[in-house]
Amino acid sequence: MPEATVLTSARSGKVGPELRGIGQAAQELGVSIRALRYYQEMGLITPSGRTAGGNRLYAQEDLDRVRRIRELQTLLGFNLDEIRLILASEDRLVQVRVEYRATSDDADRMRLLIEAQQTYQRLRDEVSDKIRRLAVFRDELDERLATNERVRTAVVGAQAAEAVTVESAAARQPAEQHRR
């Protein structure tokens, strides 16, 4: 029986085959083992368990978190420091939901709603800033494309004018040779 099937998850206390070793997790996610270790070093993920020998074990929720990290990197182009802040905000929002459901005190609920709203607004502002910076970059590329097109058109026009001059000169040469 594989070692992972008899070990428990540190977070859930579950025993079972849902825990994957680092190699299997990396392969399933399409990332390197080094990337998983680096994400842990950066504080982005925490493996759900360890083997008796100390090897990392990953549960489905760990894999989902890595997928979220990759999505934030590839879709929005966030760097790992930005991602750490986003994940911390998302983690806090989960806690706020749990606290909201656990309390019946209106003042506590209002405080939690305000905190959630502020957190969502910070995340939205971060995404808006990223979009603004991407739009500026896109506009710079549009300007460079337009400049390139003008230069290319000028070069094509100059080549066409040169071709006409060469053709005219070639047409005059037989006439001049014939006169001699």
Side-chain angles (χ1 to χ4, degrees), residues 86-124:
I86 291 168
L87 293 176
S89 294
E90 289 177 346
D91 291 345
R92 179 59 189 146
L93 287 166
V94 169
Q95 291 173 343
V96 165
R97 276 191 290 279
V98 168
E99 290 175 30
Y100 182 87
R101 290 180 184 131
T103 187
S104 58
D105 181 68
D106 287 343
D108 283 343
R109 284 185 158 197
M110 183 55 71
R111 177 187 55 78
L112 291 166
L113 288 169
I114 290 169
E115 181 182 351
Q117 182 179 15
Q118 291 169 343
T119 303
Y120 282 125
Q121 188 62 52
R122 274 193 310 274
L123 288 171
R124 187 183 189 290

Coordinates of all heavy atoms in Angstrom, one line a residue, residues 86-124:
I86 N -3.4 38.9 -2.6 CA -4.7 38.5 -3.0 C -5.2 37.3 -2.3 O -6.3 37.2 -1.8 CB -4.7 38.2 -4.6 CG1 -4.5 39.6 -5.3 CG2 -6.0 37.6 -5.0 CD1 -4.1 39.4 -6.8
L87 N -4.3 36.3 -2.2 CA -4.7 35.0 -1.5 C -5.0 35.3 0.0 O -6.0 34.7 0.6 CB -3.7 34.0 -1.6 CG -3.4 33.4 -3.0 CD1 -2.3 32.4 -3.0 CD2 -4.7 32.8 -3.5
A88 N -4.2 36.2 0.6 CA -4.5 36.5 2.0 C -5.9 37.2 2.2 O -6.6 36.9 3.1 CB -3.4 37.5 2.6
S89 N -6.2 38.1 1.2 CA -7.5 38.7 1.2 C -8.6 37.7 1.0 O -9.7 37.7 1.7 CB -7.6 39.8 0.1 OG -6.7 40.8 0.4
E90 N -8.4 36.8 0.0 CA -9.4 35.8 -0.2 C -9.6 34.8 1.0 O -10.7 34.5 1.4 CB -9.1 34.9 -1.5 CG -9.2 35.7 -2.7 CD -8.8 35.0 -4.0 OE1 -8.2 33.9 -3.9 OE2 -9.2 35.5 -5.1
D91 N -8.5 34.5 1.7 CA -8.6 33.7 2.9 C -9.3 34.4 4.0 O -10.1 33.8 4.7 CB -7.2 33.3 3.4 CG -6.4 32.4 2.5 OD1 -7.1 31.7 1.6 OD2 -5.2 32.2 2.6
R92 N -9.1 35.7 4.1 CA -9.8 36.5 5.1 C -11.3 36.6 4.8 O -12.1 36.5 5.7 CB -9.2 37.9 5.2 CG -9.9 38.8 6.3 CD -9.8 38.2 7.7 NE -10.7 38.9 8.6 CZ -11.4 38.4 9.5 NH1 -11.3 37.1 9.8 NH2 -12.2 39.1 10.3
L93 N -11.6 36.7 3.5 CA -13.0 36.7 3.2 C -13.7 35.4 3.5 O -14.9 35.4 3.9 CB -13.2 37.0 1.7 CG -12.9 38.5 1.3 CD1 -12.7 38.6 -0.2 CD2 -14.0 39.4 1.8
V94 N -13.0 34.3 3.4 CA -13.6 33.0 3.8 C -13.9 33.0 5.3 O -14.9 32.6 5.8 CB -12.7 31.8 3.4 CG1 -13.1 30.5 4.1 CG2 -12.6 31.7 1.9
Q95 N -12.9 33.5 6.1 CA -13.1 33.7 7.5 C -14.2 34.6 7.9 O -15.0 34.3 8.8 CB -11.8 34.2 8.2 CG -10.6 33.2 8.2 CD -9.3 33.8 8.7 OE1 -9.2 35.1 8.8 NE2 -8.4 33.0 9.0
V96 N -14.3 35.7 7.2 CA -15.4 36.6 7.4 C -16.8 36.0 7.2 O -17.7 36.1 8.0 CB -15.3 37.9 6.6 CG1 -16.6 38.7 6.5 CG2 -14.1 38.7 7.0
R97 N -16.9 35.2 6.2 CA -18.2 34.4 5.9 C -18.5 33.5 7.1 O -19.6 33.4 7.5 CB -18.1 33.7 4.6 CG -18.4 34.5 3.4 CD -18.6 33.7 2.1 NE -17.4 33.1 1.6 CZ -16.5 33.8 0.9 NH1 -16.6 35.0 0.6 NH2 -15.4 33.2 0.4
V98 N -17.5 32.8 7.5 CA -17.7 31.8 8.6 C -18.1 32.6 9.9 O -19.1 32.2 10.6 CB -16.4 31.0 8.9 CG1 -16.5 30.2 10.2 CG2 -16.1 30.1 7.7
E99 N -17.4 33.7 10.2 CA -17.8 34.5 11.4 C -19.2 35.1 11.2 O -19.9 35.1 12.2 CB -16.8 35.6 11.6 CG -15.4 35.1 12.0 CD -14.4 36.2 12.1 OE1 -14.8 37.4 12.4 OE2 -13.2 35.9 11.9
Y100 N -19.5 35.5 10.0 CA -20.8 36.1 9.8 C -21.9 35.1 10.1 O -22.9 35.4 10.7 CB -20.9 36.6 8.3 CG -22.3 37.3 8.0 CD1 -22.5 38.6 8.3 CD2 -23.3 36.5 7.5 CE1 -23.7 39.2 8.0 CE2 -24.5 37.1 7.2 CZ -24.7 38.5 7.4 OH -25.9 39.1 7.2
R101 N -21.7 33.9 9.6 CA -22.7 32.8 9.8 C -22.8 32.4 11.2 O -23.8 31.9 11.7 CB -22.4 31.6 8.9 CG -22.7 31.9 7.4 CD -22.3 30.7 6.5 NE -22.5 31.1 5.1 CZ -21.6 30.8 4.2 NH1 -20.5 30.2 4.5 NH2 -21.8 31.2 3.0
A102 N -21.7 32.5 12.0 CA -21.7 32.1 13.4 C -22.3 33.1 14.3 O -22.5 32.7 15.5 CB -20.2 31.8 13.7
T103 N -22.5 34.3 13.9 CA -23.0 35.3 14.9 C -24.4 35.7 14.5 O -24.8 35.7 13.3 CB -22.0 36.5 14.9 OG1 -22.5 37.4 16.0 CG2 -22.0 37.3 13.6
S104 N -25.1 36.1 15.5 CA -26.4 36.7 15.2 C -26.5 38.1 15.7 O -27.5 38.8 15.6 CB -27.5 35.8 16.0 OG -27.2 35.8 17.4
D105 N -25.4 38.6 16.2 CA -25.3 40.0 16.7 C -25.2 40.9 15.5 O -24.3 40.8 14.6 CB -24.1 40.2 17.6 CG -23.9 41.6 18.1 OD1 -24.8 42.0 18.9 OD2 -23.0 42.3 17.7
D106 N -26.2 41.8 15.4 CA -26.2 42.8 14.2 C -25.0 43.6 14.1 O -24.5 43.9 13.0 CB -27.5 43.6 14.3 CG -28.8 42.8 14.0 OD1 -28.6 41.7 13.4 OD2 -29.9 43.3 14.3
A107 N -24.5 44.1 15.2 CA -23.3 44.9 15.2 C -22.1 44.1 14.6 O -21.3 44.7 13.8 CB -22.9 45.5 16.6
D108 N -21.9 42.9 15.0 CA -20.8 42.1 14.5 C -21.0 41.8 13.0 O -20.1 41.9 12.2 CB -20.8 40.7 15.2 CG -20.1 40.8 16.6 OD1 -19.4 41.8 16.9 OD2 -20.3 39.9 17.4
R109 N -22.3 41.5 12.6 CA -22.5 41.3 11.2 C -22.2 42.5 10.4 O -21.7 42.4 9.3 CB -24.0 40.8 11.0 CG -24.2 39.4 11.5 CD -25.6 38.9 11.2 NE -25.5 37.4 11.1 CZ -26.5 36.7 10.5 NH1 -27.5 37.3 10.0 NH2 -26.3 35.4 10.5
M110 N -22.6 43.7 10.9 CA -22.3 44.9 10.1 C -20.8 45.1 10.0 O -20.3 45.5 8.9 CB -23.0 46.1 10.8 CG -22.8 47.4 10.1 SD -23.4 47.3 8.3 CE -25.2 47.3 8.6
R111 N -20.1 44.9 11.1 CA -18.6 45.1 11.1 C -18.0 44.1 10.0 O -17.2 44.5 9.2 CB -18.1 44.8 12.4 CG -16.5 44.8 12.5 CD -16.0 44.4 13.9 NE -16.4 43.0 14.3 CZ -15.9 41.9 13.8 NH1 -15.0 41.9 12.9 NH2 -16.4 40.7 14.3
L112 N -18.5 42.9 10.0 CA -18.0 41.9 9.0 C -18.4 42.2 7.6 O -17.6 42.1 6.7 CB -18.5 40.5 9.4 CG -18.0 39.9 10.7 CD1 -18.8 38.7 11.2 CD2 -16.5 39.6 10.6
L113 N -19.6 42.8 7.4 CA -20.0 43.2 6.1 C -19.1 44.3 5.6 O -18.7 44.4 4.4 CB -21.5 43.6 6.1 CG -22.5 42.4 6.2 CD1 -23.9 42.9 6.4 CD2 -22.4 41.5 4.9
I114 N -18.8 45.3 6.5 CA -18.0 46.4 6.1 C -16.6 45.9 5.8 O -16.0 46.3 4.8 CB -18.0 47.5 7.2 CG1 -19.4 48.2 7.3 CG2 -16.9 48.5 7.0 CD1 -19.6 49.0 8.5
E115 N -16.1 45.0 6.6 CA -14.7 44.5 6.3 C -14.7 43.7 5.0 O -13.8 43.9 4.2 CB -14.3 43.5 7.4 CG -12.9 42.9 7.2 CD -12.5 42.0 8.3 OE1 -13.1 41.8 9.3 OE2 -11.4 41.3 8.0
A116 N -15.7 43.0 4.7 CA -15.8 42.2 3.4 C -15.8 43.2 2.3 O -15.1 43.1 1.3 CB -17.0 41.3 3.4
Q117 N -16.7 44.3 2.4 CA -16.8 45.3 1.3 C -15.4 46.0 1.1 O -15.0 46.1 -0.1 CB -17.8 46.3 1.7 CG -18.0 47.3 0.6 CD -19.1 48.3 0.9 OE1 -19.5 48.4 2.1 NE2 -19.6 49.0 -0.1
Q118 N -14.7 46.3 2.1 CA -13.4 47.0 2.0 C -12.4 46.0 1.3 O -11.6 46.4 0.5 CB -12.9 47.4 3.4 CG -13.7 48.6 3.9 CD -13.4 48.9 5.4 OE1 -12.8 48.1 6.1 NE2 -13.8 50.1 5.8
T119 N -12.5 44.8 1.7 CA -11.6 43.8 1.1 C -11.8 43.6 -0.4 O -10.9 43.6 -1.2 CB -11.6 42.5 1.9 OG1 -11.3 42.7 3.3 CG2 -10.6 41.4 1.3
Y120 N -13.1 43.4 -0.7 CA -13.5 43.3 -2.1 C -13.1 44.6 -2.9 O -12.6 44.5 -4.0 CB -15.0 43.1 -2.3 CG -15.4 41.7 -2.0 CD1 -16.4 41.4 -1.0 CD2 -14.9 40.6 -2.6 CE1 -16.9 40.1 -0.8 CE2 -15.3 39.3 -2.4 CZ -16.3 39.1 -1.4 OH -16.7 37.8 -1.2
Q121 N -13.2 45.7 -2.3 CA -12.9 47.0 -3.0 C -11.4 47.0 -3.2 O -10.9 47.5 -4.3 CB -13.4 48.2 -2.2 CG -13.2 49.5 -2.9 CD -14.0 49.5 -4.2 OE1 -15.2 49.3 -4.2 NE2 -13.3 49.9 -5.3
R122 N -10.6 46.6 -2.2 CA -9.1 46.6 -2.4 C -8.7 45.7 -3.5 O -7.9 46.0 -4.4 CB -8.4 46.2 -1.1 CG -8.2 47.3 -0.1 CD -7.2 46.9 1.0 NE -7.5 45.7 1.6 CZ -8.3 45.5 2.7 NH1 -8.9 46.6 3.2 NH2 -8.6 44.4 3.2
L123 N -9.4 44.5 -3.6 CA -9.1 43.5 -4.7 C -9.5 44.1 -6.0 O -8.7 44.0 -7.0 CB -9.8 42.2 -4.4 CG -9.2 41.3 -3.3 CD1 -10.2 40.2 -3.0 CD2 -7.8 40.9 -3.6
R124 N -10.6 44.7 -6.0 CA -11.1 45.3 -7.3 C -10.2 46.4 -7.8 O -9.8 46.6 -8.9 CB -12.5 45.9 -7.1 CG -13.1 46.4 -8.4 CD -14.5 47.0 -8.2 NE -15.1 47.3 -9.5 CZ -14.8 48.2 -10.3 NH1 -13.7 49.0 -10.0 NH2 -15.4 48.4 -11.4

